[in-house]
Amino acid sequence: MIDESTLNDDTVSLLYAQLRNMAAAFIFKPSERINESALSRDLGASRTPLREALNRLVSEGFVEFHPGQGFFCRDLSQSRVKHLYQARMAIECEAVRQAALNAKPEDFDTLDAALDQTSDEYASCTDPIRLMELDEAFHMRLAGLSGNGELLRMLATIYDKIRFVRTADLRRLQAAGRTTTARHRMVLNVVRTGDGAAASEAMRNHIEDRARHASEAVRLAFADLYAPKVELT
C-alpha cells in the first residue's frame, strides 16, 4: 500500500518505478489497454499520481496513450524490436569506442577479473533471469568505462525495453549449451588495445549476431506471455 500522506512527487516516483518494472516484464500484455481502476486498486494509489506515473512511461516509450481510449502497453512487434536493437548497437558501439580511448588499464583488469568470477556460473546457469542479469551487468560495466553518463543512461533504458526479448533469446542459447563468456572476453580484449574503431566493430559484430535471432526471440517471448499457466498441485 502506497502512503498517500507522503509528498506527491515521492508517490509518483514510487508508482513510476513499480509500473516501469511491470511494463519491462510485460505484466501488461502487448498492446493491451491498461485498466487504471484495477491498477489503482491493486497498487493502493489514487488515480492522479497513477496517471502522472503512466505519463512518464509514455515519454519513455514503455506505454502509449491513445486519446479518448486511455493508456496501452507497448507492442512487441518485429519492427520495434529491430529498431531497439539498432539503437542498442549505436549506443554500445560508441560507448566502447570511447572506453578504448579513455579507460585505464586497471579498469580493464577489474572487468576481466569479474568475467573470471562469473564464467562458470554463466556457462552453467539454468535460470534465464539470472543469466540476463549476468549478461547485462557485463555490457553495462563495459559501457561505463566510456565515462559518458548520458550514454549509460540511454543504454539502461534500451535494455529495459528489450530485456524480455533478450531473456527469451538467452534461454534458447542456454538450452543449446552456447552461453559462455567467450564473446564478452573477446570484445573486452579488443577494447583493451585502445583502438576505438576496432572496439566499435567488435561490439557491432557481437550485437548483430544476436539481432539476427531477434525474430525467433520475439516468437519465444510471445509464447511465454500467452502460454497457459500450469497450476502445481
Side-chain angles (χ1 to χ4, degrees):
M1 174 72 71
I2 292 173
D3 184 0
E4 296 279 0
S5 66
T6 59
L7 292 175
N8 187 58
D9 285 348
D10 292 338
T11 301
V12 173
S13 294
L14 180 57
L15 281 168
Y16 162 78
Q18 290 178 293
L19 292 171
R20 198 174 195 270
N21 287 335
M22 294 171 72
F26 280 103
I27 301 300
F28 315 117
K29 296 295 189 293
S31 302
E32 176 183 73
R33 184 178 182 276
I34 296 173
N35 187 326
E36 293 180 57
S37 296
L39 198 55
S40 176
R41 182 182 63 251
D42 292 344
L43 297 180
S46 64
R47 295 285 287 275
T48 298
L50 180 66
R51 286 197 167 192
E52 288 186 37
L54 285 169
N55 279 320
R56 287 190 189 181
L57 294 177
V58 170
S59 69
E60 293 185 346
F62 283 97
V63 169
E64 297 173 351
F65 180 74
H66 299 173
Q69 299 180 59
F71 295 95
F72 289 76
C73 179
R74 63 201 166 106
D75 66 17
L76 189 59
S77 66
Q78 299 284 356
S79 61
R80 174 167 289 193
V81 172
K82 176 182 177 181
H83 294 162
L84 287 169
Y85 268 90
Q86 289 173 341
R88 176 195 171 194
M89 189 181 303
I91 293 168
E92 289 208 59
C93 287
E94 177 58 19
V96 296
R97 187 189 72 82
Q98 292 188 21
L101 299 176
N102 301 321
K104 299 176 181 178
E106 54 265 34
D107 295 329
F108 296 120
D109 292 340
T110 299
L111 191 47
D112 198 42
L115 280 178
D116 286 338
Q117 293 171 1
T118 60
S119 60
D120 288 345
E121 182 183 6
Y122 196 93
S124 61
C125 184
T126 58
D127 179 356
I129 302 300
R130 176 57 180 160
L131 190 59
M132 180 72 254
E133 291 172 350
L134 292 169
D135 188 88
E136 192 172 300
F138 168 78
H139 281 272
M140 291 298 294
R141 291 185 68 176
L142 181 57
L145 298 186
S146 67
N148 188 320
E150 293 302 322
L151 283 177
L152 201 60
R153 279 187 283 275
M154 287 190 290
L155 184 58
T157 297
I158 293 295
Y159 270 129
D160 282 345
K161 292 180 179 180
I162 61 173
R163 185 173 291 122
F164 194 83
V165 173
R166 293 196 68 228
T167 299
D169 186 33
L170 285 167
R171 181 185 293 113
R172 187 164 64 93
L173 287 178
Q174 187 275 329
R178 294 175 54 202
T179 50
T180 72
T181 57
R183 292 294 297 273
H184 287 170
R185 196 175 298 279
M186 182 197 74
V187 172
L188 178 60
N189 288 339
V190 175
V191 180
R192 187 193 284 271
T193 66
D195 186 332
S200 180
E201 185 63 19
M203 181 58 77
R204 179 178 301 278
N205 291 337
H206 178 52
I207 297 176
E208 281 183 342
D209 179 59
R210 301 317 323 145
R212 282 192 291 270
H213 299 278
S215 176
E216 176 65 9
V218 170
R219 188 189 69 77
L220 290 172
F222 265 111
D224 285 345
L225 285 169
Y226 293 104
K229 303 303 180 185
V230 177
E231 295 292 337
L232 298 179
T233 59

